[in-house]
Amino acid sequence: MVLYMTPFPNSCLSALHAVSWALIFPCYWLADRLLASFIPTTYEKRQRADDPCYLQLLCTVLFTPVYLALLVASLPFAFLGFLLWSPLQSARRPYIYSRLEDKGPTGGAALLSEWKGTGPGKSFCFATANLCLLPDSLARLNNVFNTQARAKEIGQRIRNGASRPQIKIYIDSPTNTSISAASFSSLVSPQGSDGVPRAVPGSIKRTASVEYKGDSGRHPSDEAANGLASGDPGDGGNLEDACIVRISGDEGGRPPEAVDPPNGGQARNGAGGGPRGQTPNHSQRDGDSGSLGSPSASRESLVKGRAGADGGSGEPGANSKLPNKASVVKKAAARRRRHPDEAFDHEVSAFFPANLDFLCLQEVFDKRAAAKLKDQLHGYFEYILYDVGVYGCHGCCSFKCLNSGLFFASRYPIMDVAYHCYPNGRFSDSLASKGALYLKVQVGSTPQDQRIVGYISCTHLHALSEDSDIRCEQLNMLQDWLADFRKSTSSSSAANPEELVAFDIICGDFNFDNCSSDDKLEQQHSLFTRYKDPCRLGPGEEKPWAIGTLLDQDGLYDEEVCTPDNLQKVLESEEGRREYLAFPTSKSPGGGQKGRKELLKGNGRRIDYMLHGEEGLCPDWKAEVEEFSFITQLSGLTDHLPVAMRLMVSVGDDEA
């Protein structure tokens, strides 16, 4: 299948579209700014309350007439641009494919040679997140703002979390001395490149985070200005050398030391270190960004890099120095045991999993924000699909002002793509081309040159809470379209040997949870009989460790949750979840927010799903969940918690 790298089939149409958008954009931008000035976030309200001069309010009063006058003046040009733009959408392709070729050891071509379908198996890591990257005026309805800066910061945080180097940890304790274990970031190859399993001697009892700081010793909070920090990836930020951390067994002993290993240390890193920004009211303290007091601590240590300043992009930011020195380890914590009834780890993690393979995002509606996000993620992901969806009246029943908001990034080559728009959206949801994105990726090849592939489906369902029947119809469409996609992209000809399917994943924002009585219709949908939800026991019943993924919007900028570390600690307690997670309102009399919190036992609304299927996989292969995590690394940047799942594909001994 040909992947489209431009939105239009020829340069003439692309030029016409550029002209039409140039005529529309001033009106669009002015309208967005004008509306945004009347929708303050809770952060801005607090700023105004603390400012006796009310400077921000005064600026709003002064500039509103200017914005309004310019908006009226731009309307005729926008109308002409719209007349040109609208018919062009019938020729527009439903996505843009971007590839930044990486010929290094982590490039897509190199990854394909790692797995031949033999040996003990291969693990793949998936993540999904709703980013709320809408035009700024609309994003403020969800209590987030500064869409362009947030997009850049989100990309940096995801890249820095996923590209962490491998850490080796040596533990000295009265009962367990000189124990060495590779961190979970090395799970990219539990076996070596030769297919031989690598034994991990012992178990990790203690761990610590490692932080890189510049020579100046300046506090990280000093590196951000005007809210979100920004900056391009540094040229000299080399995190490819592994760090060795020594940890003492005595709680009262001196802090463990972090030292650089000799050259040739084991590490896999898809990108150099980048600057770590902060949320608008981020007053970072020691341990804020890498606390390993979570279950993930035993496997991962976050190495934070800060790169050079942004080269005059106009985004908020400040100069920072390249990472070249490891700080002393801040704290140690014991690993939390697995739930006795679970076969896999589950955790609230302060950062994205190391060696993340596939990333599915929703609500990346703004085109400029999508481009900034793409540029940041290309430091780690080689293959990206963005600007997915349709505009105008093409392809759907109603006029579409926004695309689908779907965004996909992969370290493995993308083979086939299909997008379908849901035709049954209502009210505000009908203005966006919400739908389903289907992808076929190649993850390896057998010694007989059979391709090993996987299927990933990303979707965003209807949002209005009362429209359960619409969401169920969309789930039906999702399954039917997926069956058609798999059938049309399967290969079994003599010239093209039959492919081996390693996994089948469905993920996205479903906009319903598994506990609310108002969502019973969706909870009993047949999708959950064909695909497994690692967090679910059955309709209306969650596993004890599962938590909600929708945050209480009013508390996004509270000091208790404004950093990844703080939010992680809050969500690990039931009291904290009751305070900062969103709970559904009841349509029945007398069942308000308080009553529903009791019903959900303090775990909140889990509306972001990651499902895996077993039907249609290669015979004698088995896909099992190794780890499921709720991620707090995007605290203050979106009102959703990302979720991640690591899937182990096991291969039979007699499988070629």
Side-chain angles (χ1 to χ4, degrees), residues 42-43 46 142-143 551-558 580:
T42 55
Y43 170 71
R46 292 172 189 173
N142 289 352
N143 201 28
L551 298 172
D552 180 11
Q553 295 171 354
D554 291 338
L556 291 181
Y557 305 112
D558 287 1
Y580 287 104

Side-chain angles (χ1 to χ4, degrees), residues 93-141:
R93 293 159 172 168
Y95 60 83
I96 301 177
Y97 169 70
S98 177
R99 180 185 179 187
L100 189 65
E101 188 171 356
D102 183 0
K103 297 183 179 179
T106 59
L111 288 175
L112 292 181
S113 63
E114 287 188 352
W115 191 37
K116 297 295 182 181
T118 59
K122 174 75 173 179
S123 68
F124 300 96
C125 190
F126 309 82
T128 184
N130 183 314
L131 302 185
C132 198
L133 292 177
L134 288 149
D136 198 50
S137 57
L138 298 180
R140 287 166 177 268
L141 298 176

Side-chain angles (χ1 to χ4, degrees), residues 325-491:
K325 183 179 180 181
S327 71
V328 291
V329 179
K330 295 189 181 345
K331 57 181 172 178
R335 176 176 180 172
R336 179 171 298 172
R337 292 178 177 271
R338 295 174 176 172
H339 191 279
D341 297 330
E342 290 291 356
F344 59 88
D345 286 341
H346 41 80
E347 60 198 4
V348 178
S349 173
F351 30 82
F352 278 82
N355 297 307
L356 178 63
D357 295 309
F358 306 101
L359 178 66
C360 299
L361 303 175
Q362 302 85 45
E363 289 200 13
V364 187
F365 288 115
D366 188 273
K367 286 185 177 182
R368 292 183 297 150
K372 289 180 173 64
L373 181 63
K374 169 186 70 74
D375 292 341
Q376 293 297 324
L377 292 179
H378 259 322
Y380 180 76
F381 294 100
E382 184 175 344
Y383 311 91
I384 289 179
L385 285 174
Y386 67 105
D387 197 10
V388 178
V390 295
Y391 296 91
C393 295
H394 175 70
C396 289
C397 300
S398 59
F399 186 86
K400 303 298 178 184
C401 299
L402 299 171
N403 61 26
S404 69
L406 300 178
F407 185 109
F408 178 77
S410 170
R411 296 173 66 206
Y412 289 89
I414 299 172
M415 299 176 63
D416 292 283
V417 179
Y419 161 78
H420 294 276
C421 177
Y422 293 129
N424 60 343
R426 285 201 319 133
F427 300 125
S428 58
D429 258 28
S430 65
L431 298 177
S433 57
K434 285 187 175 181
L437 179 66
Y438 301 97
L439 304 114
K440 179 181 178 182
V441 294
Q442 183 176 358
V443 295
S445 60
T446 68
Q448 294 78 28
D449 291 329
Q450 291 177 290
R451 287 183 299 209
I452 304 175
V453 302
Y455 287 93
I456 303 171
S457 306
C458 179
T459 189
H460 189 185
L461 300 185
H462 188 73
L464 300 182
S465 58
E466 64 271 16
D467 292 333
S468 294
D469 54 338
I470 291 180
R471 281 187 290 273
C472 286
E473 290 175 6
Q474 292 177 347
L475 289 175
N476 292 335
M477 297 177 199
L478 177 70
Q479 293 186 94
D480 294 341
W481 290 335
L482 176 56
D484 293 340
F485 178 70
R486 291 194 58 168
K487 183 177 180 180
S488 63
T489 58
S490 63
S491 175

Side-chain angles (χ1 to χ4, degrees), residues 60-93:
T60 300
V61 173
L62 291 177
F63 282 102
T64 296
V66 178
Y67 280 136
L68 189 58
L70 292 175
L71 177 62
V72 172
S74 66
L75 284 175
F77 298 98
F79 180 71
L80 291 176
F82 178 79
L83 293 179
L84 181 59
W85 175 87
S86 185
L88 289 174
Q89 303 314 305
S90 61
R92 183 188 174 276
R93 293 159 172 168

